[in-house]
Amino acid sequence: MKRGKLFVLSGPSGVGKSTILKDLAQRQEFYFSVSATTRDPRPGEENGVHYHFHTAEEFQKLIEENALLEWAEYVGNYYGTPAKYVDEAMESGRNVILDIEVQGAGQVKESRPEAVRIFIAPPSWEELERRLTERGTDTAEKIEKRLARAKEEFESAKNYDYIVVNTTVKAAVCELEAIMIAEHCRPAERIAMIENTMK
């Protein structure tokens, strides 16, 4: 059984990562890691489904126990990836997708150099502002903080393995799917198959 690959998605808040992943799930089978966070649930979000919601004290305990593959602070809240479920999914042959912030993506790359990092970018700054505003989940002050953070995140985009521009969800999903397929065609993964056919 081939081992699954680890794909790390990052991008500014409001860029459409959740929508892209929802559509991708209709075309590709993968394990989507459910992150742990200290932020409050939004309307309709369920614990263990959308996030593992924790108090600050509980989150700190996870850090101390090295139970997180990565963790980061974002706009006053903490987010992290439980390592156990990621490793189990990859061992079973499933691809794993992490939707995490730039800081956390850097941590994953250090501990898992084989991770494939993909930055999701908006088609324009104006479009990002529009999406954040029309989402209707944040105050004006919170939106300004997210936009300020987005400028910092854009600086890290050049360090990623791929950049997908979310002009339309359909196009972004096609590019993401192509990246995932191509990564399984690398020589390190296919050479054993070739050698077996030569025997």
Side-chain angles (χ1 to χ4, degrees):
M1 180 185 295
K2 69 177 183 181
R3 178 178 168 82
K5 288 185 177 288
L6 178 58
F7 296 90
V8 179
L9 266 62
S10 301
S13 179
V15 78
K17 297 187 297 294
S18 297
T19 303
I20 290 171
L21 288 173
K22 182 179 179 181
D23 279 33
L24 180 67
Q26 304 301 314
R27 301 172 58 149
Q28 285 271 337
E29 196 281 327
F30 60 86
Y31 172 74
F32 180 69
S33 177
V34 178
S35 297
T37 184
T38 59
R39 80 158 170 77
D40 294 329
R42 291 174 182 157
E45 289 184 333
E46 298 179 37
N47 187 40
V49 177
H50 300 92
Y51 283 95
H52 295 292
F53 294 101
H54 294 277
T55 64
E57 292 75 18
E58 291 171 341
F59 197 93
Q60 183 61 40
K61 186 176 181 181
L62 291 174
I63 294 173
E64 293 171 356
E65 294 175 347
N66 293 317
L68 300 173
L69 185 59
E70 57 77 32
W71 62 274
E73 182 274 333
Y74 181 72
V75 195
N77 291 302
Y78 288 89
Y79 297 80
T81 302
K84 176 183 177 183
Y85 307 116
V86 169
D87 291 334
E88 288 177 350
M90 291 177 67
E91 286 299 325
S92 69
R94 301 173 72 189
N95 287 326
V96 175
I97 294 183
L98 307 183
D99 175 5
I100 56 180
E101 307 302 328
V102 168
Q103 180 182 342
Q107 293 179 34
V108 173
K109 193 66 175 179
E110 288 182 9
S111 61
R112 307 289 174 88
E114 73 280 6
V116 179
R117 293 191 297 172
I118 305 167
F119 191 89
I120 310 295
S124 69
W125 185 256
E126 292 73 22
E127 178 63 14
L128 181 62
E129 289 183 295
R130 185 190 68 77
R131 291 176 184 177
L132 281 172
T133 302
E134 291 186 357
R135 190 165 66 177
T137 58
D138 295 318
T139 63
E141 181 182 1
K142 198 85 166 185
I143 289 173
E144 285 302 313
K145 287 184 177 180
R146 292 191 185 281
L147 288 171
R149 182 63 177 264
K151 289 183 178 179
E152 298 175 6
E153 292 170 330
F154 285 143
E155 292 297 317
S156 300
K158 61 181 177 293
N159 299 321
Y160 279 65
D161 301 300
Y162 300 92
I163 296 177
V164 171
V165 179
N166 186 16
T167 304
T168 68
V169 173
K170 182 178 180 180
V173 169
C174 285
E175 289 190 0
L176 191 54
E177 184 179 31
I179 291 168
M180 294 176 71
I181 293 172
E183 284 295 322
H184 278 286
C185 296
R186 290 188 176 276
E189 184 163 327
R190 290 288 172 88
I191 196 67
M193 182 189 304
I194 294 174
E195 290 174 345
N196 286 334
T197 61
M198 304 276 292
K199 293 179 180 178

